């Protein structure tokens, strides 16, 4: 029995700590892989402290957390004083009301605050940003302060406030001299609790942040779109280590104290539960302090960074005309979709500011749908966004984009003709292509000896590779593959055709090992599967780390995707936004972007600067004939079709 | 002697309930006054009004002849020892006592001297650095007293300060408090519901009930000449019977007529008849007007406490001799032992 309970305990501990252990190990991995440990490096830590977006978001997070928790502590403490002096029944009622925000789902708090702010935005010119975030954070922080301070009033000696007055102190002085020291532990733990809740809040921040104030959790979330970067492992490891250290120090100190006095020990056990919480809060605070310190040290030159050469632009005069206007534009992009100085890349935003005097507020999202929702909510105003093809057609249809003034974007001339007047924006009035790519098949040469030419979409239905096949875990991409086999249009709205594609996917299910998205990297890298569909640009990056992986774009055809720069309605600085777009179309900038993301560039100037080897690479740059004849771009489907496809997809995944 | 504190027609109501019903009270300088009464009688409220923690709805609070209704507590030359001590947990013994002196910004030397004196007075020398939480109840009590007295108030208010102590400690502290009051020569206003404590320490006892002052007097007078049955009962246990004053010096109760020493009640007036348990002697039943059966006998150390049931009353009797349970006894008392009181209103 004793053995069993020990085993059980160790299982529980393993369950709790293995994920953290794995994360720590891989934060030192030389490659991005999450399954193969290929060597030891501190690179990710160095990069972490050079990742401008992470540092900026961290800065935002800290500013907001400090402001909100200080304000909440003052408000909450004052509230607790008031509540503690109320009659019994009023007190109970007020406490109930105060506690509602705690039990209320965060999403409700977030949405309702957003609606409130939108209401005031229209009437009082309230900008979404620091102010709205701080107000929102105060809202959910205050109840925790009240909750922490109230018990201190209950535990407090009765009459000590009167006793101080009796001994000659005025009311205010009495409060600070005798009441404050008594409630201080509660105030402090309330403060720390608020601070950490603010620090790691995602949901409420997501709804109430604007273009200027992205917090760390939101940034991290947007980075996960492609793959959790090991920088995040490094960040989490630092946090974990600091928490652990603080805990150990605290526990050792506590142990010493308890062995000193057994009486104290008895008292201790009662308070320990709440103390644990406090310790955790203290720890997180310490983490932040250390991060800030580390940041400062590193930016002060702890590590030497190579400063890349300045970017050459064609017509420098064009960029100076708005220099003295003190303009800031808000750019909303995919996570990790613009070089910002990581890995010795150029920081394009900084370059742009140096060149034009226009400041850039940069924030990130993870999906087209997230971008759409944010714009629809009207909470923040952006000047430049980068949606994908089908989303652009939807936004055009719903009148959410501003037509561009191409005279202001002379570099549009660099956009290859084949990317002009696309189906999603037939007159090229709304979008300037940014990157593009195709979908193909990743294969593991250790697990198959098929020739590349023979690999086509039907390999994903090959019984021989049953359970060695991975498939996309989203309906549109999966249906597209079935549709390619069936020779349908990828944009069909014909329900019979969709049903046929669904049937084909159902048939495939028995061979599929798993439906996954970015885990494809790891599963393929680790040799767990032989074939998987994926996006070309990402596959190229993957192949750099794994020699045994190859990538084919099936000859029968594929889906071509384009992400393009657009200006949403409500943009405040259209001219500056167009200047920014023009800047990103500078051949050298476009080259940096293509290098950084790994996707193909639609910019002819950049293309010409590529190595010949890359220019001729069939994966990144298939020939025009193939692109024209065999590739189809997604268009927006009607809501009805989307819903139908979603239902079929659910049927496929859940059905026997 | 001068009156140091006077309450004139002081009334307090709270939520429509009368807490103090226009009370009048004069407290002379250097007196040990005890406000005595059951809980809810208004004694603590009276103390809080003197301390300045509560403003009366009407009436005047006078201190050395000046009206101090609007003077906040921190400006009054009065200090309080609170019911649960209200010591400051974050300060040690020395700093607790020094609190008032520091507020007054006295020099460090003077603070040291005065706190030292006080610690000596309350027998806590050497406890300066101690933590409040590590003190016993009695020690905390002493710190609370020292903390108040160190300010040299003219009046010290004490709100049931000994309530939390055990019996033996309470007795000791009673004597000590009395001694302190006499040696310091300041006025003590003491609130308690313990009649024995009140009788032991006080120069003057103020008996209160339902927001009214029933009787003010020296302990002996209050005990021997309670103004009404409530006071009589509250100041020591009593047998209180319904009676009719037939005429001066003749009262009827329990179906019999008895001679007594009281007069001036008129004829055929309903009155309360009070007979103290220790004034009753047990006699053979044959010659007595009142006879009863002994229901219980309890040994109380000095005396036995017995309950004797008669037809319409249950008597409490203290005697040094025990009777047999269930035996029939006669109840005997003299005319001096019968106290006649006006029926209380309500």
């Amino acid at each position: 029995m004793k053995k069993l309970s020990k085993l059980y305990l160790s299982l529980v501990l393993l369950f709790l700590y293995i994920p953290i252990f794995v994360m720590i190990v891989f934060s030192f991995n030389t490659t991005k892989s999450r399954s193969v440990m290929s060597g030891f490096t501190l690179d990710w830590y160095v990069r972490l402290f050079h990742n401008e977006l992470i540092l900026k978001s961290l800065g935002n997070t800290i500013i907001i957390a400090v402001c909100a928790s200080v304000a909440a502590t003052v408000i909450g403490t004052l509230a607790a004083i008031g509540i503690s002096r109320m009659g019994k029944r009023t007190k109970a009622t007020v406490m109930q009301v105060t506690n509602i925000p705690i039990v209320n789902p965060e999403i409700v708090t977030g949405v309702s605050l957003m609606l409130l702010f939108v209401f005031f935005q229209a009437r009082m010119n309230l900008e979404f940003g620091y102010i709205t975030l701080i107000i929102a954070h105060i809202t959910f922080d205050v109840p925790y302060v009240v909750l922490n301070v109230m018990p201190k009033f209950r535990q407090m000696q009765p009459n000590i406030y009167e006793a101080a007055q009796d001994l000659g102190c005025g009311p205010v002085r009495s409060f600070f001299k005798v009441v404050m020291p008594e409630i201080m532990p509660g105030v402090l733990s309330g403060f720390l609790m608020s601070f950490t809740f603010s620090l790691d809040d995602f949901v409420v921040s997501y709804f109430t942040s604007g273009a200027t104030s992205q917090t760390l959790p939101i940034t991290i979330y947007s980075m996960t779109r492609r793959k959790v970067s090991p920088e995040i492992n490094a960040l989490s490891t630092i946090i974990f280590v600091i928490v652990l250290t603080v805990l150990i120090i605290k526990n050792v100190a506590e142990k010493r104290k308890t062995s000193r006095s057994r009486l104290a020990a008895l008292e201790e056990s009662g308070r320990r539960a709440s103390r644990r919480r406090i310790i955790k809060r203290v720890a997180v605070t310490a983490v932040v302090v250390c991060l800030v310190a580390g940041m400062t040290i590193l930016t002060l030159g702890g590590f030497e960074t190579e400063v890349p050469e300045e970017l050459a632009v064609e017509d420098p005069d064009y960029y100076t005309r708005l220099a003295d206007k003190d303009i800031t534009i808000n750019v909303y992009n995919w996570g990790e979709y613009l070089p910002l100085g990581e890995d010795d890349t150029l920081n394009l935003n900084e370059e742009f500011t140096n060149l034009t005097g226009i400041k850039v507020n940069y924030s990130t999202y993870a999906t087209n749908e997230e971008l759409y929702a944010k714009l629809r909510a009207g909470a923040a105003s952006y000047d430049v966004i980068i949606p994908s093809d089908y989303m652009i057609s939807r936004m055009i249809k719903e009148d959410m984009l501003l037509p561009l003034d191409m005279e202001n974007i002379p570099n549009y001339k660099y956009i290859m003709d084949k990317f002009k007047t696309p189906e999603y924006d037939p007159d090229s009035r709304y979008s300037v292509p940014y990157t593009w790519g195709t979908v193909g098949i990743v294969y593991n040469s250790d697990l198959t000896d098929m020739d590349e030419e023979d690999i086509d979409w039907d390999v994903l239905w090959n019984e021989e590779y049953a359970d060695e096949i991975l498939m996309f875990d989203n309906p549109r991409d999966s249906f597209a593959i079935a549709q390619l086999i069936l020779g349908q249009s990828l944009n069909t709205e014909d329900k019979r055709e969709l049903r046929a594609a669904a049937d084909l996917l159902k048939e495939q299910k028995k061979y599929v090992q798993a439906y996954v998205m970015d885990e494809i990297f790891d599963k393929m890298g680790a040799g767990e599967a032989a074939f998987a569909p994926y996006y070309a640009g990402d596959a190229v990056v993957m192949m750099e780390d794994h020699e045994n992986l190859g990538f084919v774009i099936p000859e029968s055809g594929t889906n071509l995707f384009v992400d393009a720069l657009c200006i949403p309605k409500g943009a405040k600085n259209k001219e500056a936004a167009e200047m920014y777009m023009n800047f990103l179309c500078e051949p050298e900038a476009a080259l940096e972007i293509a290098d950084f993301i790994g996707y193909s560039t639609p910019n002819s100037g950049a293309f010409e600067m590529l190595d010949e080897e890359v220019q001729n690479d069939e994966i990144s740059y298939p020939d025009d004939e193939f692109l024209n004849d065999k590739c189809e771009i997604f268009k927006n489907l009607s809501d009805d079709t989307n819903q139908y496809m979603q239902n079929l997809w659910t049927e496929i995944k859940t059905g026997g | 002697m001068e009156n140091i504190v006077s309450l004139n027609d002081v009334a307090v109501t709270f939520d429509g309930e009368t807490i103090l019903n226009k009370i009048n009270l004069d407290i002379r300088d250097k007196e040990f006054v005890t406000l005595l009464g059951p809980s809810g009688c208004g004694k603590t409220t009276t103390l809080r009004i003197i301390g300045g923690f509560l403003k009366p709805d009407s009436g005047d609070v006078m201190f050395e002849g000046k009206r101090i209704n609007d003077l906040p507590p921190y400006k009054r030359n009065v200090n309080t020892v609170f019911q649960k001590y209200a010591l400051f947990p974050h300060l040690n013994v020395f700093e607790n006592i020094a609190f008032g002196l520091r507020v007054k910004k006295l020099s460090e030397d003077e603070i040291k001297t005065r706190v030292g004196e006080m610690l000596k007075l309350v027998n806590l020398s050497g406890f300066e650095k101690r933590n409040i939480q590590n003190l016993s109840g009695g020690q905390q009590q002493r710190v609370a007293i020292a903390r108040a007295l160190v300010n040299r108030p003219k009046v010290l208010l004490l709100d049931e300060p000994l309530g939390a102590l055990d019996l033996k400690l309470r007795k000791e502290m009673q004597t000590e408090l009395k001694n302190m009051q006499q040696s310091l020569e300041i006025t003590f206003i003491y609130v308690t519901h313990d009649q024995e404590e009140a009788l032991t320490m006080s120069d003057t006892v103020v008996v209160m009930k339902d927001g009214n002052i029933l009787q003010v007097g020296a302990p002996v007078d209050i005990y021997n000449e309670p103004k009404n049955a409530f006071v009589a009962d509250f100041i020591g246990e009593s047998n209180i019977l319904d009676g009719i004053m037939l005429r001066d010096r003749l009262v009827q109760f329990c179906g019999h007529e008895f001679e007594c020493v009281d007069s001036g009640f008129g004829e055929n007036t309903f009155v309360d008849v009070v007979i103290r348990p220790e004034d009753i002697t047990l006699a053979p039943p044959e010659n007595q007007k009142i006879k009863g059966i002994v229901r219980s006998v309890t040994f109380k150390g000095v005396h036995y406490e017995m309950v004797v049931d008669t037809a319409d009353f249950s008597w409490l009797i203290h005697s040094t001799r025990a009777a047999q349970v269930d035996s029939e006894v006669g109840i005997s008392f003299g005319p001096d032992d019968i106290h006649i009181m006006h029926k209380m209103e309500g």
Side-chain angles (χ1 to χ4, degrees), chain A residues 157-171 173-174 177-179 181-182 263 267, chain B residues 48 53 73-74 78-80 82-90 99-100 102-103 105 147-148 151:
Chain A
Q157 285 257 5
N159 299 332
I160 65 165
Y161 175 63
E162 288 179 348
Q165 292 197 45
D166 187 74
L167 295 168
C169 274
R173 203 159 154 222
S174 295
K177 281 202 92 150
V178 305
V179 179
E182 286 303 291
L263 194 82
E267 251 177 285
Chain B
R48 288 172 63 80
F53 303 115
Y74 50 92
V78 163
N79 286 108
T80 311
F82 290 90
Q83 197 167 6
K84 283 176 183 153
Y85 321 142
L87 296 176
F88 307 132
H90 64 289
F99 190 91
R102 290 208 189 282
V103 172
K105 300 212 164 67
R147 187 180 67 176
N151 302 291

Side-chain angles (χ1 to χ4, degrees), chain A residues 182-200:
Chain A
E182 286 303 291
I183 61 171
M184 208 51 203
V187 174
L188 209 66
S189 67
F191 168 76
L192 289 175
M193 231 172 169
S194 304
F195 187 72
T196 49
F197 275 117
S198 288
L199 217 54
D200 67 6

